[in-house]
Amino acid sequence: MQQPINVFKFGGASLRDADAIRHVGTILDRFKDQRLVIIVSAMGKTTNALEEVANSYWNGKPDVAREKLGAIHAGATQAMKDLFAEVPEELTAAVNDLFVSVEWALEEDPNEEYDYDYDQIVSLGELISSHIVAAYLNRIGLPTSWLDARDVIQTDNTYREGWVKWPETVERAERLVPPLLDSTPFVLTQGFIGNTSENYTTTLGREGSDYSAAIFSYCLDVEAMSIWKDVPGVLTADPRYFENVTKIDRLSYREAIEMTYYGAKVIHPKTIKPLQNKSIPLYVRSFIEPDLEGTYVTDEAGDAYPPMVAVERDQALVNISTRDFSFVAEHHIKELFEHITTTRLQVNMMQNTAISFNVVVNDIDDRVERFCALVDQHFKTTIDRHLELITIRHYTPEIVDSLRRGKVNLLEGRLPLTLQMVVKDVPVIRRKKEEDVAL
Ligand code: ASP
Ligand code: MG
């Protein structure tokens, strides 16, 4: 019988430099008898650097854009030199071609759509890292086929947030991936990127490589998917901001989706649905200590869960009230929701009173301004910015008290399992151990 397929995903931190890539090689060496589809992110902070290239270009500073791109190219070249005693010629050629294609694009005037230009430039990071890692695995005796994820993942043309066209994507994955796995045990491809029907590159949203891995997992109906992280697994809160966090051993899809949707950054929120739909288990594991168990996410509801905290920053609270003091009636809500949809506002919380409607949204680009301009005819709006949304699953009075301390609470919502609060102007400072309740 043929070996089952597993999907592994390695993020930017695990591919930060030559040493990190070597470490990935040692992890993969343990799985050399398996059939693996490996999804990689861009190395380290390359995507942020490419965003700066895109912004300089768009803001009419092509020279700055070129200079920043040059620095990224130099960084990639250095990583290759560090990684290989002798850099394979085909690798140098492939990487140079990728940079040249973006250099040429920077010679042209920007397109009318920022998001389009952004995707053509920012997608470079995953293309480069995938070439480097695949060449390295081949060099160390782990035969690996390089696959262009854009040949598989098809999306609409919502640039920077491509929506997956599932039937097309499934058909391509089923047709293209198994033959590659017949020729080499490993297939390596990019996270984060997709392709439109006109053959333009799209991206799936920042940190979207996890989602790419889930898309491949779904399409190939794999045995399991593993995300290799720089943390031991899913934790009860973000260890950068909270002391006393603990690892959760088992998590249901439901819990995982609730927490990641509200800002638990350990997994991209879109990752869970494709896995849940095919009952594919997810392992979140430490690439630093690969022998540890990590967190296992499945169908099974876990036992009693500890309180878990997620913090989402850059939130805006928009208070909307009718101009003529009339109640916020159903037809008003319908109108507001239409504008929420057209401006792609992502709503995290809602609450209404007789004459006002309050939404808490992710404050992205100028979406809130565009929304307020659209509703201006019938509604007055006020915006409160730079807020944090704190979500606590399985809350206890002690946790709630401890998190409220020293904060201005602007809005609160409670359901039996979830408590959410929107708080003002409190930079999340590292909390002192003695003030903290254990998480
Ligand atoms: N490289 C992309 C980003 O940094 C995608 C990812 O890492 O998941 O957003
Ligand atoms: Mg990343």
Side-chain angles (χ1 to χ4, degrees):
M1 207 186 88
Q2 252 198 343
Q3 282 260 21
I5 304 171
N6 275 266
V7 165
F8 278 10
K9 183 256 168 175
F10 292 95
S14 52
L15 306 167
R16 193 172 53 237
D17 52 22
D19 280 344
I21 296 175
R22 277 191 199 100
H23 183 64
V24 167
T26 60
I27 292 179
L28 287 172
D29 191 58
R30 302 160 166 232
F31 299 93
K32 58 170 174 280
D33 302 327
Q34 297 200 13
R35 296 202 299 163
L36 291 185
V37 175
I38 303 160
I39 314 291
V40 294
S41 295
M43 292 170 63
K45 299 274 179 236
T46 308
T47 306
N48 292 358
L50 286 165
E51 273 189 349
E52 288 182 23
V53 173
N55 292 343
S56 306
Y57 169 64
W58 185 259
N59 293 325
K61 296 180 194 148
D63 292 346
V64 180
R66 264 192 293 278
E67 202 182 300
K68 287 179 185 285
L69 186 70
I72 301 170
H73 195 167
T77 308
Q78 188 59 48
M80 291 193 287
K81 280 192 190 142
D82 293 345
L83 196 54
F84 297 95
E86 207 177 305
V87 183
E89 258 170 50
E90 322 79 69
L91 175 62
T92 309
V95 169
N96 286 347
D97 282 354
L98 286 166
F99 277 102
V100 167
S101 69
V102 176
E103 275 160 25
W104 283 356
L106 295 181
E107 298 293 328
E108 308 287 322
D109 284 337
N111 196 273
E112 264 140 57
E113 202 190 332
Y114 169 78
D115 291 354
Y116 167 85
D117 281 335
Y118 174 103
D119 279 0
Q120 310 319 304
I121 295 172
V122 168
S123 52
L124 184 67
E126 271 67 12
L127 289 166
I128 292 165
S129 64
S130 61
H131 275 293
I132 296 177
V133 180
Y136 176 69
L137 295 178
N138 281 306
R139 180 59 68 88
I140 61 168
L142 299 172
T144 302
S145 303
W146 181 89
L147 168 71
D148 192 327
R150 296 169 299 183
D151 289 340
V152 174
I153 298 183
Q154 303 302 298
T155 70
D156 70 357
N157 52 8
T158 314
Y159 294 101
R160 288 179 70 193
E161 215 174 303
W163 283 85
V164 174
K165 294 182 175 172
W166 286 99
E168 288 89 334
T169 303
V170 170
E171 186 277 319
R172 283 159 178 255
E174 284 175 345
R175 177 160 51 82
L176 298 175
V177 181
L180 292 176
L181 285 169
D182 287 340
S183 64
T184 56
F186 293 176
V187 169
L188 186 140
T189 191
Q190 311 78 37
F192 188 47
I193 66 174
N195 191 51
T196 68
S197 52
E198 302 86 35
N199 265 326
Y200 292 119
T201 303
T202 47
T203 64
L204 307 177
R206 284 303 308 266
E207 305 303 329
S209 297
D210 294 346
Y211 182 42
S212 302
I215 297 169
F216 275 95
S217 298
Y218 175 95
C219 295
L220 300 167
D221 209 346
V222 302
E223 184 178 54
M225 168 171 149
S226 297
I227 299 182
W228 296 86
K229 302 273 314 177
D230 52 358
V231 286
V234 180
L235 305 174
T236 47
D238 189 329
R240 285 172 300 175
Y241 309 116
F242 294 92
E243 304 274 1
N244 297 334
V245 300
T246 50
K247 177 177 77 80
I248 304 163
D249 297 337
R250 282 171 160 265
L251 210 53
S252 66
Y253 294 123
R254 170 90 202 253
E255 291 297 324
I257 211 162
E258 289 286 355
M259 292 312 291
T260 53
Y261 184 78
Y262 289 116
K265 295 278 181 284
V266 63
I267 318 167
H268 190 282
K270 283 190 173 174
T271 311
I272 305 298
K273 178 186 183 293
L275 301 178
Q276 187 277 344
N277 289 175
K278 291 224 171 153
S279 297
I280 298 167
L282 168 67
Y283 296 90
V284 182
R285 312 167 67 166
S286 162
F287 72 79
I288 302 163
E289 293 176 284
D291 289 326
L292 297 186
E293 284 253 302
T295 298
Y296 179 54
V297 185
T298 55
D299 264 342
E300 304 147 35
D303 314 325
Y305 287 105
M308 298 185 267
V309 180
V311 180
E312 185 82 289
R313 288 177 191 77
D314 297 324
Q315 301 293 294
L317 171 62
V318 189
N319 173 285
I320 308 153
S321 52
T322 52
R323 287 205 175 273
D324 59 0
F325 217 69
S326 59
F327 298 137
V328 178
E330 287 69 21
H331 64 281
H332 291 131
I333 296 181
K334 177 166 184 261
E335 182 182 338
L336 294 172
F337 272 69
E338 268 158 15
H339 295 312
I340 284 175
T341 310
T342 46
T343 49
R344 283 162 64 194
L345 275 190
Q346 295 168 7
V347 178
N348 289 326
M349 247 179 112
M350 292 185 268
Q351 243 175 53
N352 58 335
T353 69
I355 57 164
S356 82
F357 188 71
N358 300 279
V359 282
V360 178
V361 299
N362 293 342
D363 200 357
I364 302 172
D365 309 330
D366 58 349
R367 292 184 196 186
V368 172
E369 280 84 359
R370 286 193 287 118
F371 170 78
C372 291
L374 284 173
V375 303
D376 187 63
Q377 200 191 348
H378 298 137
F379 304 93
K380 280 188 300 215
T381 51
T382 55
I383 314 169
D384 225 323
R385 296 205 125 106
H386 310 297
L387 308 178
E388 283 176 356
L389 170 67
I390 302 180
T391 302
I392 317 163
R393 290 280 288 171
H394 311 284
Y395 57 92
T396 59
E398 297 77 40
I399 295 280
V400 176
D401 277 355
S402 136
L403 289 173
R404 268 208 198 109
R405 215 169 294 144
K407 295 182 182 178
V408 186
N409 198 349
L410 296 177
L411 196 69
E412 191 168 293
R414 252 174 216 261
L415 288 165
L417 295 181
T418 312
L419 185 142
Q420 293 190 292
M421 48 193 178
V422 181
V423 298
K424 190 173 179 93
D425 240 348
V426 201
V428 179
I429 353 164
R430 210 174 166 100
R431 298 161 59 81
K432 289 221 191 70
K433 226 181 195 128
E434 54 289 2
E435 280 178 10
D436 221 354
V437 272
L439 274 169

